[in-house]
């Protein structure tokens, strides 16, 4: 039996009281007609909101960006190591930090990382990652320091946003040495010729110690595949005993590979499939593109999922469309959800769009409760 938790954050986002679900999406509509519906309520803000997708009560998980990144990269450093997210950035001739306008390809990244590993010391070790996102481990380190996240460093001179506190001398030297070492590489000479900013700054931030989290695979009695483009979610999934999949095919925004998404649902294990490209589109009010992407999900993911169902291949699907967090927190529902079971099909006449929010007879759960309930029952469903 296929057991799938499909999550589309901001899939029911509203504009002028009408959601993009009002467009003609036949397979969303068919699922709703044969499913039990319920609503999603916001949980409190938390340091790791991704924890909800695994069914964790989000305020219980407190892990830094660095810890989640290093875990996602498959590394288990010694206890009492401090983990950083290490961003590959640009610094110009005036010493001002900026983002890159073109990410490195595989061969360029290989050249950059080979050089960067020369900065390793007996206590500082680079953890190679993907494109601009890597990890750094400081053995027997301290978190009594302040660092500035990469996104907050943009537009600032390096000397104004350097690490402060314990270990600042060591980390500042690492940063300075990265500029000196990477700036002269052939890749950066080529980038200058192409009028692109150099990739010449390694920036550590998001420091933290790894803390234990509950082993969900053990507690729930079932391993689960987590398919998402989120590095943070992949790291948390690994720490919780779940199996993160490949992140590259999720792309960014509109360019998710839905053929790969469909293939992921054929796993013999229960699967969490998080397609969060709608979130970045929603943040920029790109409603037309959101509608297009939902139509692609309808035709390229839901349609073949429905076609492959037969007596020998039943499917249990929970579809969650949690709402946006750009409104004041309240007890009112902000997301839509449905439960579909090909063995026990329902007969439902409620439209699967924002009109559901007015249906007081429908049950209401937080996102984490909806995920916890489904994944806890996965061992019985598989």
């Amino acid at each position: 039996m296929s057991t799938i938790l499909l999550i589309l954050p901001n899939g029911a986002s509203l504009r002028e009281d009408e959601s993009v679900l009002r467009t003609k999406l036949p397979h969303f509509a068919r699922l709703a007609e044969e499913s039990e519906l319920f609503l999603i309520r916001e949980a409190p803000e938390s340091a790791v909101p991704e924890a909800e997708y695994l069914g964790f009560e989000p305020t219980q998980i407190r892990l830094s960006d660095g810890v989640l990144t290093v875990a996602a990269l498959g590394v288990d450093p010694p206890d009492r190591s401090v983990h950083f997210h290490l961003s590959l950035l640009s610094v110009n001739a005036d010493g001002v930090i900026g983002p890159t306008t073109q990410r490195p390809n595989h061969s360029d990244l290989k050249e950059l990382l080979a050089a960067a590993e020369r900065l390793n010391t007996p206590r500082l070790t680079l953890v190679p990652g993907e494109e601009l996102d890597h990890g750094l481990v400081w053995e027997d380190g301290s978190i009594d320091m302040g660092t500035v996240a990469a996104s907050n460093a943009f537009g600032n001179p390096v000397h104004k946003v350097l690490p402060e506190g314990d270990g600042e001398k060591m980390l500042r030297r690492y940063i300075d040495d990265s500029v000196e070492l990477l700036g002269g590489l052939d890749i950066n000479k080529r980038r200058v010729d192409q009028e692109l900013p150099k990739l010449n700054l390694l920036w550590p931030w998001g420091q933290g110690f790894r803390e234990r989290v509950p082993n969900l695979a053990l507690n729930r009695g079932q391993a689960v595949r987590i398919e998402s483009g989120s590095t943070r979610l992949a790291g948390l999934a690994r720490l919780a005993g779940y199996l993160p999949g490949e992140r590259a095919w999720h792309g960014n925004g509109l360019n998710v590979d839905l053929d790969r998404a469909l293939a992921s649902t054929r796993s013999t294990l229960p699967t969490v499939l998080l397609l969060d490209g709608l979130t970045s589109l929603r943040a920029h009010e790109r409603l037309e593109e959101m509608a297009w992407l939902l139509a692609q999900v309808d035709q390229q993911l839901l349609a073949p999922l429905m076609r492959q169902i037969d007596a020998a291949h039943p499917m249990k699907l929970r579809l969650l469309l949690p709402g946006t967090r750009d409104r004041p927190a309240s007890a009112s529902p902000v997301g839509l959800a449905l439960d579909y079971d090909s063995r026990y099909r329902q007969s439902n006449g409620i439209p699967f769009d924002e009109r559901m929010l007015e249906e007081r007879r429908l049950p209401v759960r937080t996102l984490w409760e909806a995920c916890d309930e489904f994944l806890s029952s996965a061992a019985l469903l598989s």
Side-chain angles (χ1 to χ4, degrees):
M1 179 175 189
S2 296
T3 308
I4 305 161
L5 179 59
L6 174 58
I7 309 174
L8 302 172
N10 290 292
S13 291
L14 306 182
R15 184 179 187 181
E16 297 178 355
D17 297 323
E18 187 168 309
S19 78
V20 295
L21 288 173
R22 289 283 189 113
T23 57
K24 293 182 178 180
L25 300 173
H27 299 95
F28 276 95
R30 178 187 162 189
L31 277 172
E33 290 168 359
E34 300 180 358
S35 299
E36 292 185 3
L37 307 186
F38 63 96
L39 300 173
I40 300 173
R41 180 178 60 244
E42 271 192 304
E45 295 276 352
S46 66
V48 188
E50 298 88 350
E52 295 185 74
Y53 300 135
L54 302 186
F56 282 120
E57 197 284 313
T59 59
Q60 294 180 348
I61 304 297
R62 298 183 178 276
L63 297 173
S64 72
D65 284 271
V67 168
L68 295 171
T69 297
V70 171
L73 297 176
V75 175
D76 298 305
D79 292 341
R80 300 305 300 172
S81 297
V82 178
H83 304 188
F84 296 88
H85 188 113
L86 189 68
S87 295
L88 179 57
L89 306 178
S90 298
V91 58
N92 64 21
D94 296 323
V96 176
I97 300 171
T100 179
T101 55
Q102 181 173 309
R103 293 170 179 259
N105 59 33
H106 178 74
S107 60
D108 288 345
L109 182 60
K110 186 177 179 180
E111 179 185 351
L112 284 162
L113 292 177
E117 287 178 349
R118 292 159 53 188
L119 300 174
N120 288 350
T121 72
R123 295 181 66 191
L124 277 181
T125 304
L126 169 76
V127 182
E130 303 159 353
E131 296 188 336
L132 307 179
D133 300 305
H134 309 274
L136 184 68
V137 173
W138 175 19
E139 294 187 37
D140 296 318
S142 167
I143 58 172
D144 291 332
M145 70 175 78
T147 59
V148 176
S151 58
N152 294 329
F154 296 155
N156 290 290
V158 172
H159 70 272
K160 289 192 174 182
V161 286
L162 288 168
E164 297 182 343
D166 288 356
E168 67 173 50
K169 184 176 180 181
M170 174 186 64
L171 292 173
R172 291 182 177 195
R173 183 169 60 247
Y174 186 90
I175 290 169
D176 289 342
D177 289 348
S178 74
V179 175
E180 182 177 350
L181 176 64
L182 301 182
L185 295 178
D186 288 342
I187 173 185
N188 280 320
K189 293 177 182 177
R190 294 192 298 270
R191 290 178 70 89
V192 169
D193 291 341
Q194 298 166 14
E195 299 184 349
L196 295 172
K198 292 182 177 181
L199 291 171
N200 59 346
L201 174 64
L202 290 171
W203 190 256
W205 59 278
Q207 68 277 2
F209 290 119
R210 179 178 292 186
E211 300 178 7
R212 292 186 181 275
V213 299
N215 188 310
L216 296 178
L218 182 64
N219 292 349
R220 292 173 175 161
Q222 176 68 66
V224 174
R225 289 201 63 81
I226 308 298
E227 298 288 351
S228 163
S230 167
T231 299
R232 287 166 55 91
L233 181 57
L236 180 58
R238 182 170 174 269
L239 293 176
Y242 280 172
L243 305 172
E246 295 182 23
R247 297 187 293 280
W249 60 263
H250 286 262
N252 182 18
L254 296 177
N255 59 339
V256 59
D257 187 338
L258 290 173
D259 288 337
R260 294 286 298 274
L262 178 64
S264 75
T265 66
R266 300 188 180 117
S267 171
T268 56
L269 294 174
T271 299
V272 175
L273 177 55
L274 172 67
L275 301 179
D276 56 2
L278 293 166
T279 299
S280 60
L281 297 175
R282 174 65 178 83
H284 295 93
E285 289 293 316
R286 294 159 63 181
L287 272 292
E288 292 78 10
E289 289 163 293
M290 288 180 66
W292 179 87
L293 183 54
L294 277 177
Q296 298 305 300
V297 171
D298 185 84
Q299 293 297 323
Q300 297 183 35
L301 180 60
L302 295 185
L305 270 178
M306 303 295 281
R307 284 197 299 268
Q308 69 190 25
I309 294 171
D310 57 36
H313 301 92
M315 180 178 72
K316 173 72 173 178
L317 170 70
R318 174 164 284 188
L319 172 61
L320 304 178
L321 282 71
T324 183
R325 290 183 178 275
D326 63 358
R327 66 185 71 193
S330 71
S332 300
V334 293
L336 316 180
L338 62 78
D339 275 326
Y340 173 84
D341 190 327
S342 63
R343 302 165 303 172
Y344 312 107
R345 302 186 189 191
Q346 308 296 312
S347 179
N348 165 61
I350 300 172
F352 192 67
D353 57 40
E354 74 282 353
R355 288 170 287 182
M356 275 179 60
L357 299 175
E358 305 303 321
E359 290 285 345
R360 298 191 178 185
R361 55 184 165 167
L362 293 176
V364 181
R365 304 176 179 89
T366 61
L367 176 59
W368 76 266
E369 288 170 337
C371 295
D372 175 51
E373 178 184 64
F374 190 81
L375 295 174
S376 295
S377 65
L380 299 176
L381 294 171
S382 353

